[in-house]
Amino acid sequence: MDKKIFIKTFGCQMNEYDSNRIYDSLKKIGFIKTEDHENTDCYLLNTCHIRDKAKEKVYHEVGRIKKTYKNKNKPIMIVAGCVAQAENEEMLKREPFIDIVIGPQSYHKINDVVANHIQKQKVEETDFDTMIKFEYFDNIKNSNNKVSSFLTIQEGCDKFCNFCVVPFTRGPEYSRPFSKILKEAEVLVKNGAREITLLGQNVNAYLYEDSKKKYRLSNLINELEKFSELHRIRYTTSHPKDMTDDLIECYSTNKKLMPFVHLPIQSGSNKILKLMNRKHTVEEYLHIYNKLKKINPFIEFSSDFIISYPGETEEDFNQTIELIKKIKFINSFSFIFSPRPGTKAAALDQIDKEESKERLIKIQKYLFDYQLKMNKSFENKFIDVLVENKLRDQNKLFGRNKYLNSVIIEGNKSFIGKSTKVKIESFNQNNLFGKIENNKMRAA
Ligand code: SAM
Ligand code: SF4
Ligand code: F3S
């Protein structure tokens, strides 16, 4: 008989991709996804460790699940993802309700560990077997059938920014074989994907070499362009150090690569970038920006910012504001520095909490302002939108424009999976609202 599994995913897009692939694997041993978190045979939390009290939040969440199942059959409790990797067997010791702790590079073992658990063993799997993992998943069909799909091409990080846990939770950089990625992309397109976002913690560090040649991210993007049913290509997250000319060139030659670059800078101060061990300067970042703008002035940028990194003075902070004013990022993430266990920056003196909050509010005011201005610029215009799905409980459609802005649309379901012109009638900070008029539809 089929067993039910409920999956809750936190963190980045890669966790979302991983959750889908874990499910693809578990389906083979009879698990079926459920949306009912109060009545499931297996409960999987895919966790993120990037900021704040990530670990405590997971224990809190497990405590909540434990309460729900107090008078019911206990589900198999699995903790996966970056907290699982960082905490490993400690989790089994501290919270006996947890049955399985599995790190991101051990997902190929998921069916075995679940089967072992059914035979009553507690399991912790946190080895870094990245290559074996991907080889295993190459033989399991990706069943994701979303119009906009993620596809992991690279995993891990060798850069070791002083604030970041990713090199510890995801392990060293690994690039998947070129041909396997294209095969998976083919499956996704057959399943209905019209947009593919290539994923990696350092996606533009992608480098795969076989007996014939070296393949980089630009080669993948150009190969994907040939898929006739695919409308759009994106990639995330990139690092300024790996923004090579062949990739920049794609923005002039590739018709499907979206003109929107998410390129984290973290700070506008060279002093802070150095303290962070970012391996790039503000000038190098601006050089990339200028090259891209020269190739296509309609390219827009978004970024990640860390506020109040240890040592950040008012002057350093103001340099970040100046950079934001210069580039006018249209959509960015900004967070106060969060000391992460095991990282170099964790031991440094932190900046006063109130001061940090003030800085965050100030920076977000600028960022949100540019976001609003950008959204306003679409008012009363027809823009290209790829329609992704129908909104739950609403008679509206959801899609995105080329800059990844969310668009809420009046229109009928037949537009799902299509690229269409939408007339934007209103907007707020996070959404554009519009109508599909006169069935103006584009083929691609
Ligand atoms: N690899 C990407 C890069 O090099 O920029 C970023 C990947 S990381 C998963 C996403 C973002 O989380 C980072 O860009 C950074 O802004 C943020 N982040 C990472 N560690 C953080 C910390 N300790 N405190 C606050 N934000 C953090
Ligand atoms: Fe983290 Fe830096 Fe690696 Fe990005 S490049 S994942 S911020 S260590
Ligand atoms: Fe979080 Fe791990 Fe992604 S720490 S951001 S889930 S790589």
Side-chain angles (χ1 to χ4, degrees):
M1 204 183 76
D2 285 337
K3 295 174 280 286
K4 287 177 281 177
I5 179 163
F6 179 82
I7 303 180
K8 188 164 178 180
T9 307
F10 301 86
C12 62
Q13 295 100 325
M14 195 173 284
N15 262 11
E16 223 178 285
Y17 174 86
D18 288 345
S19 288
N20 284 332
R21 299 300 277 143
I22 292 172
Y23 177 53
D24 285 338
S25 180
L26 285 173
K27 268 198 295 197
K28 293 206 169 285
I29 54 167
F31 281 89
I32 295 283
K33 225 188 242 179
T34 175
E35 297 296 313
D36 181 1
H37 65 98
E38 294 186 359
N39 291 292
T40 185
D41 304 300
C42 180
Y43 203 123
L44 188 144
L45 284 182
N46 196 359
T47 61
C48 172
H49 201 45
I50 204 81
R51 272 180 296 270
D52 306 322
K53 303 177 178 76
K55 178 176 79 175
E56 292 313 314
K57 281 184 190 159
V58 173
Y59 286 116
H60 186 77
E61 185 81 18
V62 175
R64 220 182 34 76
I65 300 164
K66 194 156 109 179
K67 256 194 203 150
T68 308
Y69 284 86
K70 203 169 162 201
N71 299 313
K72 297 181 187 176
N73 278 345
K74 177 189 174 313
I76 303 173
M77 182 72 231
I78 307 177
V79 180
C82 290
V83 176
Q85 185 64 45
E87 283 294 292
N88 51 57
E89 78 252 26
E90 278 308 306
M91 299 203 99
L92 296 177
K93 285 188 202 144
R94 179 165 155 190
E95 178 48 90
F97 192 77
I98 300 173
D99 299 300
I100 293 167
V101 175
I102 187 160
Q105 306 314 347
S106 298
Y107 293 155
H108 53 294
K109 298 179 188 160
I110 189 78
N111 288 9
D112 287 346
V113 293
V114 169
N116 283 346
H117 171 73
I118 293 168
Q119 277 149 38
K120 297 280 169 266
Q121 282 174 31
K122 295 251 169 192
V123 196
E124 178 264 329
E125 285 289 356
T126 48
D127 291 341
F128 287 125
D129 291 336
T130 320
M131 192 172 112
I132 301 168
K133 174 185 82 167
F134 279 114
E135 278 173 6
Y136 171 83
F137 280 103
D138 284 339
N139 295 315
I140 293 187
K141 192 176 170 227
N142 191 325
S143 65
N144 190 344
N145 58 4
K146 287 194 175 158
V147 171
S148 177
S149 285
F150 295 133
L151 173 47
T152 294
I153 64 163
Q154 180 278 344
E155 205 170 335
C157 180
D158 296 337
K159 297 202 169 59
F160 289 91
C161 299
N162 287 338
F163 52 80
C164 186
V165 286
V166 171
F168 307 101
T169 62
R170 293 276 169 173
E173 281 178 16
Y174 170 79
S175 294
R176 291 180 65 190
F178 191 70
S179 62
K180 304 287 183 197
I181 296 168
L182 292 177
K183 257 201 188 133
E184 194 171 330
E186 212 176 297
V187 171
L188 290 173
V189 172
K190 270 200 191 128
N191 291 354
R194 296 296 170 260
E195 170 175 285
I196 289 184
T197 304
L198 302 173
L199 296 182
Q201 269 90 30
N202 283 275
V203 72
N204 56 344
Y206 176 83
L207 180 64
Y208 182 76
E209 198 171 352
D210 65 16
S211 52
K212 284 186 226 140
K213 68 182 250 189
K214 279 185 181 170
Y215 300 91
R216 297 192 48 85
L217 176 60
S218 57
N219 302 104
L220 269 174
I221 292 171
N222 289 333
E223 247 354 89
L224 286 184
E225 190 192 19
K226 297 178 190 159
F227 287 48
S228 60
E229 287 171 279
L230 191 66
H231 300 190
R232 294 175 165 187
I233 305 164
R234 303 182 189 275
Y235 61 87
T236 199
T237 299
S238 39
H239 191 285
K241 194 173 169 287
D242 297 310
M243 211 65 205
T244 49
D245 283 341
D246 55 320
L247 180 56
I248 291 176
E249 184 67 21
C250 287
Y251 286 89
S252 82
T253 54
N254 191 298
K255 291 186 183 60
K256 295 184 181 174
L257 181 62
M258 291 294 102
F260 178 60
V261 182
H262 179 67
L263 192 59
I265 183 160
Q266 318 297 354
S267 169
S269 152
N270 281 333
K271 181 193 100 188
I272 295 298
L273 290 178
K274 194 149 194 230
L275 289 175
M276 286 175 165
N277 190 29
R278 275 297 286 181
K279 303 182 171 71
H280 63 81
T281 61
V282 174
E283 290 71 27
E284 281 159 355
Y285 189 94
L286 285 171
H287 188 55
I288 298 164
Y289 167 83
N290 288 329
K291 275 197 212 170
L292 282 161
K293 276 287 192 190
K294 201 168 160 200
I295 276 190
N296 176 357
F298 295 105
I299 294 178
E300 296 293 346
F301 291 76
S302 76
S303 199
D304 293 347
F305 295 95
I306 294 182
I307 313 305
S308 287
Y309 186 77
E312 184 187 82
T313 60
E314 197 63 29
E315 167 61 20
D316 297 316
F317 175 69
N318 286 334
Q319 288 179 11
T320 304
I321 302 253
E322 286 313 306
L323 179 89
I324 291 171
K325 285 189 194 161
K326 210 174 270 173
I327 298 198
K328 301 185 176 60
F329 298 97
I330 62 163
N331 180 359
S332 293
F333 300 96
S334 48
F335 292 95
I336 295 172
F337 166 71
S338 168
R340 310 310 295 130
T343 61
K344 282 198 178 157
L348 304 174
D349 282 346
Q350 283 189 60
I351 292 175
D352 176 70
K353 273 205 176 100
E354 287 312 308
E355 173 70 33
S356 301
K357 274 187 204 156
E358 273 173 35
R359 287 184 190 176
L360 184 70
I361 291 168
K362 193 166 172 194
I363 211 165
Q364 290 190 336
K365 196 184 156 303
Y366 282 100
L367 292 170
F368 294 163
D369 232 39
Y370 289 124
Q371 198 173 335
L372 261 180
K373 274 191 189 126
M374 184 69 185
N375 287 357
K376 187 170 170 45
S377 72
F378 297 120
E379 213 177 18
N380 296 322
K381 296 211 173 98
F382 281 97
I383 61 169
D384 284 330
V385 174
L386 173 62
V387 183
E388 293 184 23
N389 52 273
K390 189 177 156 298
L391 282 179
R392 229 186 243 183
D393 308 326
Q394 282 187 48
N395 217 4
K396 299 250 167 75
L397 302 173
F398 172 85
R400 290 185 188 273
N401 69 355
K402 56 189 174 185
Y403 300 124
L404 214 60
N405 295 107
S406 309
V407 190
I408 315 287
I409 317 153
E410 278 178 39
N412 67 53
K413 274 196 330 200
S414 64
F415 284 99
I416 294 173
K418 309 257 164 62
S419 291
T420 178
K421 291 275 182 203
V422 172
K423 183 167 183 208
I424 300 304
E425 298 181 324
S426 60
F427 65 95
N428 61 23
Q429 189 186 307
N430 295 319
N431 299 297
L432 304 172
F433 300 90
K435 240 187 209 156
I436 300 174
E437 286 202 350
N438 307 326
N439 285 357
K440 283 189 183 182
M441 202 175 87
R442 246 177 7 111

